Amino acid sequence: MKPLLNVLFGVGRRKTLEEMAVQIQKGDGQLQNEVIDQYKPFIAKTVSSVCKRYIHETDDEFSIGLIAFNEAIEKYTKEKGSSLLSFAELIIKRRVIDYIRKEVRVRSWHFDLKEDMEDEGAQSKIEADLSIHAYHKSIEQELRQQEIIQFHEVLQKFGMSLSEIVEQSPKHYDARINAIEVAQYIVNQDEVCEQLFKKKQIPIRQIERHVKVSRKTIERNRKYIIAMAIVLTGDYIYLKDYLKGVLNH
């Protein structure tokens, strides 16, 4: 318990969860176990919100949440933009949903193996499938909303808002494509990307020599480009799907 106690009660400034994650990523296995143990209530609460019932530590779903929380610690970087807990919450919910879907498919497969199924049984299966589908839609809707909230929080760190990005997004398809391609260049260049997240500004002089977009266009679409770079570097499954749709249009 010593490392965690030093963090919580030791002399000097208390380390944040994000700082402890960096230490864990460097190989501090003892601290990793202590942090995971400390955040078990958070894991259980997050898993319970997906399952719509109280989750015990002996439940399979809790084990999935535990693994997902550990995954979030190991994958977290400052470039994710949001807090580690927000990032972990998304990862936990996605992994639990994947697990539930897998279990539903397995149960459905076993159900289909029964021959000469009575009409009443068939109707029950249809009703169950519709209920499961509605449940998945409601959970995915919740995850989309959480992604947008998380995205908005990161935008605020850049002095921007979601409504501002929507209002200032390029109106023409070609202009959106050009802006997204500039954002892709930024995230593919470690030095440029680091500068963006550190200074909260686009290093236009560095970029304009390597893209087919004029300086004037970059400046005009600066906020939209930053927003797209945030999406590309973050753990935004649904927003990235939207980008793929734009690029494949």
Short mmCIF file of all heavy atoms in Angstrom, two decimals, residues 187-208:
data_model
loop_
_atom_site.label_atom_id
_atom_site.label_comp_id
_atom_site.label_asym_id
_atom_site.label_seq_id
_atom_site.Cartn_x
_atom_site.Cartn_y
_atom_site.Cartn_z
N VAL A 187 -2.23 15.12 -37.09
CA VAL A 187 -2.17 14.00 -36.15
C VAL A 187 -1.13 12.96 -36.55
O VAL A 187 -0.67 12.17 -35.71
CB VAL A 187 -3.55 13.33 -35.98
CG1 VAL A 187 -4.57 14.34 -35.49
CG2 VAL A 187 -4.02 12.68 -37.27
N ASN A 188 -0.75 12.94 -37.82
CA ASN A 188 0.27 11.99 -38.28
C ASN A 188 1.69 12.49 -38.05
O ASN A 188 2.64 11.72 -38.24
CB ASN A 188 0.07 11.67 -39.77
CG ASN A 188 -1.17 10.82 -40.01
OD1 ASN A 188 -1.57 10.05 -39.15
ND2 ASN A 188 -1.77 10.96 -41.18
N GLN A 189 1.83 13.75 -37.67
CA GLN A 189 3.15 14.33 -37.38
C GLN A 189 3.26 14.57 -35.88
O GLN A 189 2.63 15.49 -35.35
CB GLN A 189 3.34 15.65 -38.15
CG GLN A 189 3.15 15.54 -39.66
CD GLN A 189 4.17 14.61 -40.29
OE1 GLN A 189 5.35 14.65 -39.98
NE2 GLN A 189 3.69 13.75 -41.20
N ASP A 190 4.01 13.73 -35.21
CA ASP A 190 4.06 13.78 -33.74
C ASP A 190 4.42 15.16 -33.21
O ASP A 190 3.79 15.65 -32.26
CB ASP A 190 5.08 12.75 -33.22
CG ASP A 190 4.63 11.32 -33.47
OD1 ASP A 190 3.43 11.12 -33.71
OD2 ASP A 190 5.49 10.41 -33.45
N GLU A 191 5.40 15.78 -33.81
CA GLU A 191 5.85 17.09 -33.32
C GLU A 191 4.77 18.15 -33.49
O GLU A 191 4.51 18.96 -32.59
CB GLU A 191 7.12 17.52 -34.07
CG GLU A 191 7.70 18.84 -33.58
CD GLU A 191 8.95 19.25 -34.35
OE1 GLU A 191 9.55 18.39 -35.02
OE2 GLU A 191 9.31 20.45 -34.30
N VAL A 192 4.11 18.14 -34.65
CA VAL A 192 3.04 19.10 -34.93
C VAL A 192 1.85 18.86 -34.02
O VAL A 192 1.26 19.80 -33.48
CB VAL A 192 2.61 19.02 -36.41
CG1 VAL A 192 1.47 19.99 -36.69
CG2 VAL A 192 3.79 19.32 -37.34
N CYS A 193 1.51 17.60 -33.84
CA CYS A 193 0.37 17.24 -32.99
C CYS A 193 0.63 17.64 -31.54
O CYS A 193 -0.24 18.19 -30.86
CB CYS A 193 0.11 15.74 -33.09
SG CYS A 193 -1.41 15.22 -32.27
N GLU A 194 1.84 17.38 -31.06
CA GLU A 194 2.20 17.75 -29.70
C GLU A 194 2.12 19.26 -29.49
O GLU A 194 1.65 19.75 -28.46
CB GLU A 194 3.62 17.25 -29.38
CG GLU A 194 4.05 17.52 -27.95
CD GLU A 194 5.44 16.99 -27.67
OE1 GLU A 194 6.01 16.29 -28.52
OE2 GLU A 194 5.98 17.30 -26.59
N GLN A 195 2.57 19.99 -30.50
CA GLN A 195 2.53 21.46 -30.43
C GLN A 195 1.08 21.96 -30.39
O GLN A 195 0.76 22.90 -29.66
CB GLN A 195 3.26 22.06 -31.63
CG GLN A 195 3.43 23.57 -31.54
CD GLN A 195 4.32 24.10 -32.66
OE1 GLN A 195 5.08 23.36 -33.27
NE2 GLN A 195 4.23 25.39 -32.94
N LEU A 196 0.21 21.31 -31.16
CA LEU A 196 -1.21 21.70 -31.17
C LEU A 196 -1.82 21.56 -29.79
O LEU A 196 -2.48 22.47 -29.29
CB LEU A 196 -1.98 20.85 -32.18
CG LEU A 196 -3.51 20.94 -32.12
CD1 LEU A 196 -3.98 22.35 -32.44
CD2 LEU A 196 -4.15 19.93 -33.06
N PHE A 197 -1.61 20.41 -29.15
CA PHE A 197 -2.24 20.16 -27.86
C PHE A 197 -1.56 20.91 -26.72
O PHE A 197 -2.18 21.17 -25.69
CB PHE A 197 -2.26 18.65 -27.57
CG PHE A 197 -3.37 17.94 -28.28
CD1 PHE A 197 -3.18 17.43 -29.55
CD2 PHE A 197 -4.62 17.81 -27.70
CE1 PHE A 197 -4.20 16.78 -30.23
CE2 PHE A 197 -5.66 17.17 -28.36
CZ PHE A 197 -5.45 16.66 -29.62
N LYS A 198 -0.30 21.27 -26.91
CA LYS A 198 0.41 22.00 -25.87
C LYS A 198 0.08 23.49 -25.91
O LYS A 198 -0.21 24.11 -24.89
CB LYS A 198 1.92 21.80 -26.03
CG LYS A 198 2.76 22.44 -24.93
CD LYS A 198 4.23 22.12 -25.12
CE LYS A 198 5.07 22.73 -24.01
NZ LYS A 198 6.52 22.42 -24.18
N LYS A 199 0.11 24.06 -27.12
CA LYS A 199 -0.11 25.50 -27.26
C LYS A 199 -1.54 25.86 -27.64
O LYS A 199 -1.90 27.04 -27.68
CB LYS A 199 0.85 26.07 -28.31
CG LYS A 199 2.32 25.94 -27.92
CD LYS A 199 3.22 26.62 -28.92
CE LYS A 199 4.68 26.56 -28.49
NZ LYS A 199 5.58 27.23 -29.47
N LYS A 200 -2.34 24.83 -27.94
CA LYS A 200 -3.75 25.02 -28.33
C LYS A 200 -3.89 25.88 -29.58
O LYS A 200 -4.86 26.61 -29.75
CB LYS A 200 -4.54 25.68 -27.17
CG LYS A 200 -4.46 24.89 -25.86
CD LYS A 200 -5.12 23.54 -25.99
CE LYS A 200 -5.22 22.80 -24.66
NZ LYS A 200 -3.92 22.36 -24.12
N GLN A 201 -2.89 25.79 -30.46
CA GLN A 201 -2.90 26.54 -31.72
C GLN A 201 -2.35 25.67 -32.84
O GLN A 201 -1.54 24.77 -32.61
CB GLN A 201 -2.06 27.81 -31.60
CG GLN A 201 -2.59 28.85 -30.64
CD GLN A 201 -1.68 30.06 -30.55
OE1 GLN A 201 -0.56 30.06 -31.06
NE2 GLN A 201 -2.16 31.11 -29.91
N ILE A 202 -2.78 25.97 -34.08
CA ILE A 202 -2.25 25.27 -35.25
C ILE A 202 -0.95 25.95 -35.68
O ILE A 202 -0.94 27.17 -35.91
CB ILE A 202 -3.24 25.31 -36.43
CG1 ILE A 202 -4.49 24.51 -36.10
CG2 ILE A 202 -2.60 24.74 -37.69
CD1 ILE A 202 -5.52 24.52 -37.21
N PRO A 203 0.15 25.20 -35.81
CA PRO A 203 1.40 25.80 -36.32
C PRO A 203 1.30 25.95 -37.84
O PRO A 203 1.85 25.14 -38.61
CB PRO A 203 2.46 24.78 -35.91
CG PRO A 203 1.72 23.48 -35.86
CD PRO A 203 0.32 23.81 -35.41
N ILE A 204 0.59 26.97 -38.28
CA ILE A 204 0.27 27.12 -39.71
C ILE A 204 1.52 27.17 -40.58
O ILE A 204 1.56 26.58 -41.66
CB ILE A 204 -0.58 28.40 -39.92
CG1 ILE A 204 -1.92 28.25 -39.19
CG2 ILE A 204 -0.82 28.64 -41.41
CD1 ILE A 204 -2.82 29.46 -39.29
N ARG A 205 2.55 27.85 -40.10
CA ARG A 205 3.76 27.99 -40.91
C ARG A 205 4.39 26.62 -41.20
O ARG A 205 4.90 26.38 -42.29
CB ARG A 205 4.76 28.88 -40.19
CG ARG A 205 6.01 29.20 -41.01
CD ARG A 205 6.89 30.21 -40.30
NE ARG A 205 6.19 31.48 -40.14
CZ ARG A 205 6.71 32.54 -39.51
NH1 ARG A 205 7.93 32.46 -38.97
NH2 ARG A 205 6.02 33.66 -39.41
N GLN A 206 4.35 25.72 -40.22
CA GLN A 206 4.89 24.38 -40.42
C GLN A 206 4.02 23.55 -41.35
O GLN A 206 4.52 22.74 -42.12
CB GLN A 206 5.01 23.65 -39.08
CG GLN A 206 6.14 24.16 -38.19
CD GLN A 206 6.17 23.38 -36.89
OE1 GLN A 206 5.79 23.87 -35.83
NE2 GLN A 206 6.61 22.14 -36.96
N ILE A 207 2.72 23.78 -41.27
CA ILE A 207 1.78 22.94 -42.01
C ILE A 207 1.68 23.31 -43.48
O ILE A 207 1.65 22.44 -44.35
CB ILE A 207 0.37 23.03 -41.36
CG1 ILE A 207 0.41 22.45 -39.96
CG2 ILE A 207 -0.66 22.30 -42.22
CD1 ILE A 207 -0.87 22.66 -39.19
N GLU A 208 1.63 24.59 -43.78
CA GLU A 208 1.29 25.03 -45.14
C GLU A 208 2.26 24.52 -46.20
O GLU A 208 1.91 24.41 -47.37
CB GLU A 208 1.20 26.56 -45.19
CG GLU A 208 2.49 27.28 -44.89
CD GLU A 208 2.33 28.78 -45.04
OE1 GLU A 208 1.47 29.20 -45.83
OE2 GLU A 208 3.08 29.53 -44.39
#
